[in-house]
């Protein structure tokens, strides 16, 4: 139920697994029960037991028709109205006054209404003891009663979302991703959900990507707006140029046709790192980055000349004049694999996301052998044990003692988590601490961050247990 309105929190997912609602009415109950009042009072657990038929219970005949659907439990404010009206004989207007008094816990208003309630029950030949007990239940219920009309509207919205996710998955996922572009942690969670549904996420492509996430050949294609430092206006300019004059045939063709779209050298660098040019013929990301300064040094007059000839074949000829190969040193040494940044790491740097794959994906089998927590659940916990990719390492010295400590980010397929390594722990693990590395980390959670207490290189753990 990730991405479904009202149903995507960890606690709600657990509740859904226990109740497994099969009707809108039952889903309405679940939404109403997943609140602090019913949970703390024990009502939610009692509802689960009765629903699962693990306990026996009796419902008094006076309230059976009103509470039959909720297993004899009071969940909704509308049930208070029905009890006051049907059992105590109060008018609907007086019943609503009672409902309001109970919800505000205003004793000065409740006491006179209690007398009216008891008298109404006696008039209907209901014993005083039972009437007193029933009113006490209503008073206690007033702390957490929920409006059923409100809950039912939520239930219909949730069901509609679940229906769309099940039957129009691609459209649902694209919409969910685009609605959360400004929330990186949530985006990571949704991207992982897309992959779990066996839908492929395609990388940013200068010739295929739209501005935002889009559907491409029954897959999800990442959009240009994800690239840092690019900006929406230049990204729109790229798309318009591509639609007007055709796809880009090479890196220099792109540069000549898009240089006047407000794309500066920083934006171009991050486009390269995002993999936007990987499908174009030519050189690798690292080689494109190595000549970027030379590319941007090409004079504006030559670019204008090429632009003037863009209607004819001279434009393509001009693009070929500025070959990437021509800009590279003739006697350059070939790029060694160990000198190149991992493409995934570049992707993360350019977008703050692992779009197509996650560094942990290759360790799926090994990770399955450990009992660990997920980052998405960490904020609910006091102590956590994570297997995660560590990046954005930053080492500083404390102002007072001049001791070294570190900051960084952990990432798994469910999200990102800020990490702090205080001086004492840093001193113990500094020889292991490095950027772009997978660790088994243990620590305590404080204000949404992990305070690292233990750190183990995951690859070393794999070797030691081989």
């Amino acid at each position: 139920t990730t991405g479904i309105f009202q149903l995507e929190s960890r606690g709600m997912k657990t509740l859904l697994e226990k109740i497994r609602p099969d009707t809108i009415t039952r889903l309405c109950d679940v939404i109403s029960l997943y609140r602090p009042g019913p949970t703390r009072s024990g009502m939610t657990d009692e509802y689960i037991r009765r629903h699962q038929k693990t306990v026996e219970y009796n419902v008094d005949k006076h309230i059976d028709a009103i509470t039959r659907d909720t297993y004899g439990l009071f969940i909704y404010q509308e049930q208070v109205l029905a009890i006051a009206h049907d059992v105590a004989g109060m008018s609907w207007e007086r019943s609503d006054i009672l409902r309001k008094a109970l919800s505000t816990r205003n004793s000065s208003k409740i006491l006179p209404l209690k007398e009216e309630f008891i008298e109404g029950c006696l008039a209907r030949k209901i014993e005083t003891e039972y009437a007193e007990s029933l009113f006490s239940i209503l008073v206690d219920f007033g702390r957490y009663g929920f409006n059923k009309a409100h809950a039912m509207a939520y239930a219909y919205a949730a069901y509609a979302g679940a229906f769309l996710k099940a039957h129009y998955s691609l459209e649902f996922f694209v919409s969910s991703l685009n609605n959360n572009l400004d929330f990186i942690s949530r985006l990571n969670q949704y991207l992982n959900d897309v992959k779990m549904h066996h839908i492929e996420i395609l990388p940013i492509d200068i010739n295929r990507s739209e501005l935002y996430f889009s559907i491409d050949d029954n897959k999800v294609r990442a959009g240009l707006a994800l690239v840092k430092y690019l900006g929406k206006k230049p990204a729109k300019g790229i798309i318009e140029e591509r639609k007007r004059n055709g796809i880009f045939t090479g890196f220099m063709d792109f540069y000549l046709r898009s240089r006047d779209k407000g794309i500066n050298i920083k934006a171009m660098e991050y486009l390269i790192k995002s993999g936007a040019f990987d499908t174009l013929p030519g050189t690798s990301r690292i080689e494109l980055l190595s000549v970027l300064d030379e590319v941007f040094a090409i004079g504006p007059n030559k670019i204008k000349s090429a632009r003037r000839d863009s209607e004819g074949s001279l434009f393509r000829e001009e693009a070929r004049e500025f070959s990437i190969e021509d800009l590279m040193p003739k006697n350059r040494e070939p790029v060694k694999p160990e000198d190149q940044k991992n493409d995934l790491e570049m992707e993360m740097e350019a977008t703050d996301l692992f779009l197509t794959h996650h560094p942990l994906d290759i360790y799926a089998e090994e990770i399955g052998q450990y009992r660990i927590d997920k980052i998405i659940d960490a904020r609910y916990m006091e102590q956590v044990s994570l297997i995660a990719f560590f990046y954005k390492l930053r080492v500083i010295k404390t102002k007072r003692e001049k001791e070294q400590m570190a900051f960084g980010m952990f990432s798994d397929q469910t999200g990102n988590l800020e990490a702090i390594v205080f001086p004492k722990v840093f001193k113990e693990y500094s020889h292991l601490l490095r950027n772009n590395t997978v660790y088994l980390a243990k620590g305590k959670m404080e204000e949404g961050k992990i305070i690292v207490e233990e750190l183990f290189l995951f690859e070393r753990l794999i070797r030691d247990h081989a």
Side-chain angles (χ1 to χ4, degrees):
T1 55
T2 298
I4 305 297
F5 176 67
Q6 289 285 308
L7 306 183
E8 59 181 329
S9 71
R10 183 183 67 160
M12 176 58 87
K13 288 179 180 179
T14 301
L15 186 58
L16 286 168
E17 287 175 0
K18 291 177 179 178
I19 296 177
R20 296 185 175 274
D22 56 358
T23 65
I24 289 287
T25 302
R26 194 66 67 208
L27 181 59
C28 183
D29 290 351
V30 172
I31 290 171
S32 302
L33 288 165
Y34 188 67
R35 295 180 299 110
T39 302
R40 289 171 188 160
S41 70
M43 181 198 285
T44 302
D45 289 336
E46 181 61 21
Y47 182 100
I48 293 168
R49 286 190 288 268
R50 294 185 182 189
H51 176 72
Q52 295 176 343
K53 300 179 180 178
T54 58
V55 294
E56 293 183 3
Y57 63 95
N58 294 309
V59 181
D60 186 84
K61 63 181 181 180
H62 297 100
I63 63 171
D64 179 60
I66 297 169
T67 63
R68 185 183 301 129
D69 291 341
T70 55
Y71 305 111
L73 299 171
F74 292 102
I75 298 177
Y76 303 109
Q77 293 176 351
E78 285 84 348
Q79 289 174 311
V80 173
L81 293 174
I83 293 292
H85 181 270
D86 297 353
V87 178
M90 298 172 69
S91 68
W92 285 116
E93 182 182 3
R94 296 295 293 170
S95 298
D96 193 47
I97 291 171
L98 174 61
R99 177 194 64 79
K100 290 177 181 177
L102 292 174
S103 63
T104 58
R105 302 187 66 75
N106 189 326
S107 57
S108 63
K109 292 182 179 180
I110 291 174
L111 288 176
L113 290 166
K114 178 181 179 180
E115 293 178 11
E116 183 178 345
F117 183 90
I118 301 298
E119 289 173 4
C121 288
L122 291 175
R124 295 185 170 218
K125 302 187 182 329
I126 296 173
E127 295 179 0
T128 304
E129 184 180 352
Y130 178 77
E132 291 269 6
S133 172
L134 183 57
F135 193 84
S136 296
I137 293 172
L138 294 182
V139 171
D140 188 52
F141 164 77
R143 292 180 300 158
Y144 46 78
F146 199 53
N147 183 275
K148 187 171 185 177
H150 197 85
M152 189 62 78
Y154 278 0
Y156 269 99
Y159 175 79
F163 179 89
L164 291 172
K165 185 173 183 179
H167 298 283
Y168 299 89
S169 301
L170 277 170
E171 292 82 357
F172 177 89
F173 283 125
V174 166
S175 179
S176 295
L177 290 166
N178 287 334
N179 284 335
N180 289 277
L181 289 174
D182 295 328
F183 305 96
I184 294 298
S185 183
R186 199 175 297 170
L187 261 185
N188 271 317
Q189 180 187 352
Y190 288 173
L191 286 168
N192 185 53
D193 194 35
V194 173
K195 296 168 191 173
M196 287 178 66
H197 282 77
H198 308 291
I199 295 174
E200 187 177 350
I201 298 173
L202 301 173
I204 295 169
D205 188 318
I206 207 68
N207 278 326
R208 303 283 296 184
S209 291
E210 300 296 332
L211 183 62
Y212 303 118
F213 286 98
S214 60
I215 298 173
D216 185 348
D217 192 26
N218 288 320
K219 302 176 180 68
V220 175
R221 171 75 69 179
L224 293 172
L226 294 172
V227 180
K228 293 192 292 189
Y229 300 105
L230 179 59
K232 291 181 182 177
K233 187 176 179 180
K236 288 179 180 178
I238 292 170
I239 295 166
E240 289 168 4
E241 170 64 26
R242 188 179 72 204
K243 290 179 178 178
R244 187 183 302 115
N245 295 310
I247 64 171
F248 302 104
T249 58
F251 181 76
M252 291 309 300
D253 179 42
F254 170 80
Y255 174 74
L256 291 172
R257 292 165 58 187
S258 303
R259 182 70 178 88
D260 61 353
K261 301 291 189 294
I263 302 172
N264 58 29
I265 192 168
K266 191 73 172 177
M268 190 71 87
E269 174 191 343
Y270 277 71
L271 272 170
I272 294 169
K273 289 179 176 178
S274 74
F277 303 108
D278 285 1
T279 57
L280 297 181
T283 50
S284 67
R285 295 185 199 181
I286 199 73
E287 288 176 319
L288 287 178
L289 291 170
S290 71
V291 297
L292 199 52
D293 288 337
E294 286 85 349
V295 171
F296 268 76
I298 295 172
N301 290 334
K302 277 201 167 188
I303 294 173
K304 286 179 181 178
S305 174
R307 294 294 295 177
R308 280 197 301 271
D309 295 329
S310 63
E311 294 300 322
S313 62
L314 287 178
F315 181 70
R316 299 300 186 198
E317 294 298 322
E318 187 72 14
R320 282 196 287 272
E321 282 183 26
F322 302 117
S323 166
I324 288 292
E325 287 295 325
D326 294 339
L327 295 173
M328 298 215 176
K330 300 300 181 186
N331 58 349
R332 74 183 189 277
E333 294 184 6
V335 178
K336 300 174 183 177
E338 59 267 26
D339 294 334
Q340 294 193 38
K341 261 192 167 184
N342 183 284
D343 283 354
L344 283 177
E345 293 165 17
M346 282 195 185
E347 186 178 84
M348 165 58 84
E349 185 181 354
T351 64
D352 281 335
L353 297 163
F354 290 114
L355 287 167
T356 53
H357 303 284
H358 193 280
L360 296 187
D361 290 346
I362 60 173
Y363 300 109
E365 186 177 340
E366 291 83 359
I367 290 174
Q369 299 172 19
Y370 290 81
R371 295 187 65 179
I372 55 166
D373 306 305
K374 297 294 184 184
I375 286 177
I376 190 174
D377 299 326
R379 63 192 177 106
Y380 302 104
M381 309 172 77
E382 294 181 0
Q383 291 288 139
V384 293
S385 178
L386 307 168
I387 293 176
F389 180 79
F390 184 74
Y391 65 105
K392 288 190 176 180
L393 171 63
R394 182 165 60 95
V395 178
I396 66 166
K397 287 187 177 180
T398 59
K399 290 182 179 179
R400 181 174 296 180
E401 303 295 334
K402 303 299 180 184
E403 294 178 301
Q404 284 188 314
M405 62 177 292
F407 299 89
M409 294 291 292
F410 280 118
S411 173
D412 67 12
Q413 292 96 331
T414 68
N416 303 327
L417 181 65
E418 188 174 345
I420 301 175
V421 186
F422 283 119
K424 183 179 178 181
V425 177
F426 182 87
K427 190 178 294 184
E428 183 177 354
Y429 293 103
S430 60
H431 65 290
L432 297 178
L433 199 59
R434 63 192 74 148
N435 235 342
N436 304 321
T437 305
V438 178
Y439 291 102
L440 168 60
K442 298 180 180 181
K444 61 182 179 181
M445 292 296 298
E446 287 187 7
E447 298 180 354
K449 305 177 180 71
I450 179 174
I451 309 301
V452 178
E453 296 172 336
E454 295 181 84
L455 204 61
F456 308 92
L457 285 168
F458 190 57
E459 287 197 347
R460 183 176 295 176
L461 291 177
I462 294 173
R463 288 198 304 269
D464 291 346
H465 289 88

